[in-house]
Amino acid sequence: MKSTNPTQTKAWKKLEDHFKAVKDLKLKSEFESHPGRADEFTLRWEDFYVDYSKNLITKETRDLLIELAEEVGLEEAIFDYFGGGRINRTEGRAVLHTALREKNTTEVEVDGENVIPEVFKVKEKIRSFSNSVIDGSRKGFTGKPFSDIVNIGIGGSDLGPVMVTEALKNYTNHLKVHFVSNVDGDHVHETIQDLDPETTLFVIVSKSFSTQETLANSTTIRKWFTKRAPAEAVAKHFVAVSSNVKAVKEFGIEAENIFPMWDWVGGRFSLWSAVGLSIALSIGPNSFEKLLDGAYAMDQHFRETPFEKNIPVQLALLTVWYNNFHQAETQAIIPYTQYLHRFSAYLQQAIMESNGKGVDRSGKEVTYQTGNIIWGEPGTNSQHAFFQLIHQGTKLIPADFIGFKKSLFDDKAHHNKLMANFFAQTEALLAGKNSEEVRKELTSKGLSEEELEKLLPFKTFPGNRPTTTILIEKLTPASLGKLIALYEHQIFVQGIIWNVYSYDQWGVELGKQLADNILSEIEENDVRGHDSSTSKLLKFYLQE
Ligand SMILES: O=P(O)(O)OC[C@H]1O[C@](O)(CO)[C@@H](O)[C@@H]1O
């Protein structure tokens, strides 16, 4: 994969000039003067309706952004990505979460070996294992079927499974799935205190099997379990998902209870692998497969669709436009369904751990902004929390609004209210409310001229705030798979344009190392060699 400083491309220079010309673009007048604007900037694909017309762009912006994508070699990069090229150069690995949702007739090679048969072998293991837990034929040490599952993992070994099991709660069976991630002992003790060891299955998920949090929580849980069950019962109640088979065996888990994963699947992109075991347990293997099929469909769309009609490409280009030309720092993700309440937390890891990089692919410090800050909460709750700032604050916050035509409980009255808010918010952010409109409104309420003038500046809305609407037919395993894959590919495109390695995460290492050192100092009550702030804080913590 070549290293191209995006700011040195011809397209970037053109975009800079273009930005000067359109930076004061007024969306409202663009809509008035171009009646076809909504059609021009809407993409229809399967059950997705993606309207990006409420963004601060013109056709020329789109053309130039596509030119940029072409100039940095996006097409060739996509080919490498799906083809198993070692695009994660700093770790010498391929990036093939897409192979996890491929059909078994395909061949995807890593080091000359087709990985698809192995992927399908593990899929079969996931299927038979989850079926046996769900139908009760697999039993705990006293012969009772399982009722509870505890997923022990952190980061990509937690966020994807939690987000999906929450999102697909309506598709779940009788098994109750719990998640323990934080090394905070209160998290693990709170979770296990009411569980019945006879009917609880523990799924330890750690690609490396060396993560402090996961090992500490697993050890605590195993201790809790063996106090209540004979040691040999561990084999029936603990399974692990990892690429470090040796460490898993040393922990005491039987070989047949280990679900492998591979170094070509990054943690934050791993929910499609056996890391998604708790998803398969919770919604059943058929629905898990549908999730993967949805992602597969999005993969094909991304690979085969010209950039102009390509949803992940277009949405990624918009983020570049805001991040690098409008200098927006953040992007809000607002799903209008409570089921997706962990979606932005999940995307925070996926996006920020991938593209929060300050060094380009040639090892040089970048001279432009890279990874944007992701945040958000479901609507309508967020409307009553932080929307004030999006509407009237001083910051430019491009926002993705994700909604569904149908609700799952089919309560039309509620859904209409929810969706009325969904549409109203993007309209309000676009149109704002000018002083004339406010004046009219206040006059009709009978306010005096003096009261009116005082209130006027506070009640006006500047509008012109960009949003993208992703309207999907219904929240199903398949549509969720498509949605997640959409953002995965958006991350990829951003990384190619920003010229960073999106698939490593060295930035998380330093804190881990220092925590290890500090832990020994705490345990030995011997604080040494820190800056004075850290020393004092540690001493204060250690004081009885
Ligand atoms: O699955 P593991 O190896 O325990 O890692 C958990 C998480 O830790 C990280 O390496 C970051 O600390 C993530 O990228 C990863 O998802």
Side-chain angles (χ1 to χ4, degrees):
M1 199 185 290
K2 62 182 182 179
S3 170
T4 307
N5 179 340
T7 65
Q8 298 307 312
T9 58
K10 285 192 200 111
W12 193 279
K13 305 262 178 274
K14 287 191 209 166
L15 277 161
E16 278 173 339
D17 291 340
H18 172 67
F19 177 68
K20 281 182 204 142
V22 299
K23 69 179 188 329
D24 297 322
L25 178 127
K26 294 284 171 271
L27 277 175
K28 210 173 162 183
S29 27
E30 289 297 310
F31 273 99
E32 280 157 10
S33 56
H34 299 101
R37 184 175 169 93
D39 288 332
E40 178 68 45
F41 295 112
T42 291
L43 297 169
R44 302 286 298 267
W45 171 77
E46 298 202 351
D47 48 348
F48 277 48
Y49 183 116
V50 180
D51 177 350
Y52 63 104
S53 63
K54 294 189 184 86
N55 280 287
L56 300 167
I57 54 166
T58 64
K59 274 196 224 173
E60 193 184 353
T61 321
R62 180 175 61 198
D63 292 347
L64 291 174
L65 286 166
I66 291 174
E67 220 177 293
L68 174 65
E70 283 163 353
E71 211 177 329
V72 297
L74 179 61
E75 204 177 319
E76 192 194 329
I78 294 175
F79 186 79
D80 269 5
Y81 170 40
F82 282 89
R86 288 189 183 272
I87 62 172
N88 175 1
R89 286 274 169 78
T90 60
E91 294 181 319
R93 295 174 182 171
V95 176
L96 276 178
H97 43 278
T98 52
L100 300 168
R101 46 237 194 183
E102 276 287 0
K103 303 289 164 210
N104 60 2
T105 44
T106 326
E107 288 196 6
V108 180
E109 292 195 349
V110 175
D111 289 339
E113 203 182 312
N114 180 16
V115 297
I116 299 297
E118 178 66 11
V119 167
F120 273 81
K121 216 165 102 192
V122 178
K123 272 192 194 185
E124 198 34 57
K125 192 173 160 83
I126 296 173
R127 170 173 288 279
S128 60
F129 182 83
S130 13
N131 275 337
S132 69
V133 176
I134 296 165
D135 68 20
S137 55
R138 184 176 291 264
K139 298 184 184 356
F141 71 100
T142 55
K144 291 185 185 164
F146 292 105
S147 58
D148 292 78
I149 312 292
V150 180
N151 186 97
I152 312 161
I154 196 163
S157 299
D158 167 72
L159 285 163
V162 183
M163 182 275 284
V164 174
T165 46
E166 285 296 304
L168 299 179
K169 231 178 187 159
N170 195 252
Y171 297 84
T172 55
N173 50 43
H174 63 284
L175 295 171
K176 286 192 231 57
V177 185
H178 313 260
F179 290 87
V180 172
S181 50
N182 202 323
V183 76
D184 175 3
D186 291 347
H187 190 190
V188 57
H189 292 298
E190 180 67 41
T191 310
I192 57 176
Q193 63 180 344
D194 295 327
L195 290 176
D196 180 352
E198 290 180 47
T199 57
T200 304
L201 176 73
F202 299 97
V203 182
I204 308 176
V205 187
S206 178
K207 182 179 165 187
S208 60
F209 219 78
S210 64
T211 304
Q212 185 200 50
E213 291 89 337
T214 305
L215 294 188
N217 285 327
S218 302
T219 307
T220 300
I221 288 179
R222 191 181 51 190
K223 218 186 266 167
W224 172 90
F225 181 79
T226 48
K227 259 194 198 161
R228 293 159 177 82
E232 58 279 12
V234 168
K236 283 190 187 307
H237 287 256
F238 285 74
V239 299
V241 181
S242 183
S243 57
N244 187 353
V245 175
K246 188 170 166 271
V248 180
K249 282 188 181 156
E250 278 164 17
F251 183 84
I253 292 183
E254 312 262 318
E256 66 186 56
N257 289 339
I258 303 173
F259 290 77
M261 73 175 293
W262 308 275
D263 71 357
W264 40 264
V265 180
R268 54 193 174 273
F269 302 99
S270 64
L271 67 90
W272 322 97
S273 70
V275 168
L277 185 61
S278 50
I279 304 174
L281 285 162
S282 148
I283 61 173
N286 289 342
S287 294
F288 183 62
E289 284 294 331
K290 286 187 188 139
L291 179 83
L292 268 62
D293 288 346
Y296 173 79
M298 182 55 83
D299 294 344
Q300 303 318 304
H301 166 81
F302 176 57
R303 287 173 87 164
E304 290 162 8
T305 312
F307 292 165
E308 195 180 318
K309 302 261 175 253
N310 191 314
I311 303 172
V313 171
Q314 283 306 321
L315 298 198
L317 292 176
L318 284 171
T319 65
V320 172
W321 177 239
Y322 290 120
N323 195 55
N324 299 94
F325 296 90
H326 282 277
Q327 306 301 332
E329 297 264 317
T330 80
Q331 179 186 2
I333 313 273
I334 319 289
Y336 273 67
T337 165
Q338 197 55 33
Y339 286 118
L340 284 181
H341 70 108
R342 296 297 288 156
F343 194 55
S344 36
Y346 163 78
L347 287 181
Q348 279 174 340
Q349 186 201 16
I351 300 177
M352 293 162 76
E353 196 167 84
S354 298
N355 288 333
K357 309 283 165 65
V359 169
D360 71 13
R361 288 202 289 270
S362 65
K364 290 201 189 81
E365 208 176 304
V366 296
T367 53
Y368 44 87
Q369 289 290 319
T370 63
N372 42 352
I373 299 161
I374 301 298
W375 60 289
E377 277 289 317
T380 58
N381 298 26
S382 48
Q383 292 175 201
H384 300 271
F386 54 74
F387 266 51
Q388 165 63 38
L389 185 145
I390 303 188
H391 281 287
Q392 286 188 314
T394 55
K395 295 185 168 54
L396 174 68
I397 301 170
D400 287 357
F401 279 68
I402 302 165
F404 296 86
K405 271 182 85 174
K406 296 195 179 77
S407 69
L408 298 193
F409 280 88
D410 206 23
D411 186 329
K412 262 257 169 279
H414 269 281
H415 201 58
N416 286 344
K417 288 188 181 84
L418 173 75
M419 294 310 281
N421 277 280
F422 175 77
F423 298 117
Q425 287 299 328
T426 59
E427 189 173 38
L429 287 162
L430 155 72
K433 200 194 255 184
N434 62 30
S435 47
E436 223 167 283
E437 290 163 311
V438 180
R439 197 182 293 276
K440 231 193 229 161
E441 188 180 290
L442 295 182
T443 313
S444 72
K445 283 189 177 152
L447 258 74
S448 71
E449 192 57 28
E450 192 190 345
E451 284 169 326
L452 188 151
E453 284 306 324
K454 261 194 211 153
L455 273 178
L456 207 56
F458 304 102
K459 289 200 151 247
T460 52
F461 287 64
N464 218 35
R465 312 219 154 183
T467 60
T468 299
T469 300
I470 303 174
L471 183 55
I472 304 167
E473 196 60 31
K474 190 175 171 181
L475 178 59
T476 62
S479 66
L480 181 65
K482 292 174 190 174
L483 184 67
I484 301 169
L486 188 172
Y487 281 97
E488 285 182 346
H489 298 321
Q490 182 177 307
I491 292 167
F492 172 80
V493 176
Q494 290 173 333
I496 295 302
I497 293 179
W498 289 328
N499 195 28
V500 295
Y501 286 123
S502 302
Y503 299 99
D504 61 18
Q505 56 286 317
W506 300 108
V508 299
E509 295 305 321
L510 178 61
K512 288 186 194 171
Q513 279 164 12
L514 295 192
D516 282 346
N517 298 345
I518 290 179
L519 180 60
S520 3
E521 292 174 37
I522 290 176
E523 285 171 349
E524 289 156 21
N525 200 350
D526 178 18
V527 174
R528 59 202 125 86
H530 299 278
D531 59 85
S532 60
S533 157
T534 310
S535 285
K536 284 185 169 228
L537 285 164
L538 279 168
K539 284 179 184 154
F540 182 71
Y541 173 71
L542 285 167
Q543 258 169 34
E544 287 300 321

